[in-house]
Amino acid sequence: MPSGLFGLVNRLDWIVNYGVMLGLLVASVWVWAIVIDKFMLFSRTRKSMDRFEQAFWSGQSLEDLYRNLSSRPNTSMAALFVAAMREWKRSFEGSSRSFAGLQMRIEKVMDVTIAREIDRLERRLLVLATVGSAGPFVGLFGTVWGIMTSFQAIATSQNTSLTVVAPGIAQALFATAVGLMAAIPATIFYNKFSSEVNRQAHRMEGFADEFAAILSRQIDERG
């Protein structure tokens, strides 16, 4: 960072320096930590979904696949499959075989599982949305406060020359710049990750529809 910026920070009012600037710095670090975590999460989820779909459509029996995954489903789609199969087996292997409403129950447990997985994928995205929307206003508050302080200094010194006015205005505007530096990445990545959540949600819903159709045919055959 150029020495001029260090000089601006050192001359800032304590409310702007410790309140606004420190808060924005913490928010910016938090944003980038979430961004890195989400990139890794979505990458793992996409790859695990690809592996699960490859195993599901490979011709392996549903019973074998369920036995392999039931103890610890490692993907969103696997959790969806295990939840549906667990309801299926509970209805067919219980003491009283219950076919009435089985299709509806299977679809319900898959809907609940999808909602739970979407909630997991969306976790901490609210932080990005909050920083993206509030960051510029926090920076603007620092700017307004800095300009007020500058005008008070001008009134005290009774000197309106550019050498007196310019440093105070520059210090005040620095707070807005830092607010934008925190808010812009937060907004960009919030939109990107929201789109990724929707994409993966549609993928899970598509699989749920296909799997429900498979189980529906088996219910009709056994009924």
Side-chain angles (χ1 to χ4, degrees):
M1 182 183 291
S3 59
L5 291 184
F6 279 119
L8 284 178
V9 173
N10 290 333
R11 290 193 297 269
L12 287 173
D13 182 84
W14 70 270
I15 291 181
V16 178
N17 206 350
Y18 295 102
V20 174
M21 302 296 290
L22 185 60
L24 289 173
L25 178 62
V26 171
S28 183
V29 172
W30 196 4
V31 163
W32 284 106
I34 292 172
V35 167
I36 294 171
D37 176 70
K38 288 300 180 183
F39 267 118
M40 296 172 62
L41 172 64
F42 288 129
S43 177
R44 288 196 308 268
T45 303
R46 283 194 302 269
K47 292 177 181 177
S48 60
M49 281 184 173
D50 291 339
R51 288 194 298 268
F52 172 78
E53 286 191 320
Q54 185 176 4
F56 182 83
W57 297 111
S58 65
Q60 181 181 6
S61 72
L62 297 182
E63 292 291 339
D64 291 341
L65 187 59
Y66 174 73
R67 278 194 297 271
N68 293 335
L69 297 175
S70 59
S71 59
R72 191 177 60 182
N74 56 0
T75 70
S76 300
M77 207 169 284
L80 190 62
F81 169 78
V82 168
M85 284 296 294
R86 186 175 292 124
E87 182 62 33
W88 167 274
K89 293 177 72 66
R90 187 180 295 124
S91 299
F92 276 97
E93 296 179 358
S95 56
S96 59
R97 296 160 66 94
S98 173
F99 302 127
L102 176 57
Q103 179 74 25
M104 185 178 298
R105 292 197 301 274
I106 289 174
E107 291 176 355
K108 185 64 175 179
V109 296
M110 287 196 291
D111 288 342
V112 171
T113 304
I114 290 174
R116 187 180 300 120
E117 293 300 321
I118 291 175
D119 182 67
R120 181 179 67 87
L121 294 174
E122 288 181 336
R123 197 168 300 153
R124 291 190 295 276
L125 287 188
L126 182 60
V127 175
L128 300 184
T130 302
V131 174
S133 60
F137 293 104
V138 175
L140 182 61
F141 169 77
T143 295
V144 172
W145 188 274
I147 290 175
M148 289 170 56
T149 303
S150 298
F151 281 137
Q152 290 174 355
I154 291 170
T156 301
S157 64
Q158 296 183 350
N159 187 348
T160 59
S161 66
L162 188 61
T163 57
V164 175
V165 175
I169 300 300
Q171 294 165 26
L173 292 176
F174 185 60
T176 296
V178 174
L180 292 174
M181 288 172 60
I184 291 173
T187 302
I188 291 173
F189 287 112
Y190 172 78
N191 292 331
K192 175 179 175 56
F193 293 144
S194 295
S195 176
E196 184 66 27
V197 170
N198 291 333
R199 189 178 299 114
Q200 295 197 11
H202 290 153
R203 190 173 178 182
M204 285 187 287
E205 290 168 356
F207 171 76
D209 291 340
E210 290 179 319
F211 191 41
I214 292 172
L215 295 182
S216 178
R217 284 194 295 270
Q218 295 199 17
I219 292 171
D220 293 341
E221 291 171 0
R222 298 193 182 193

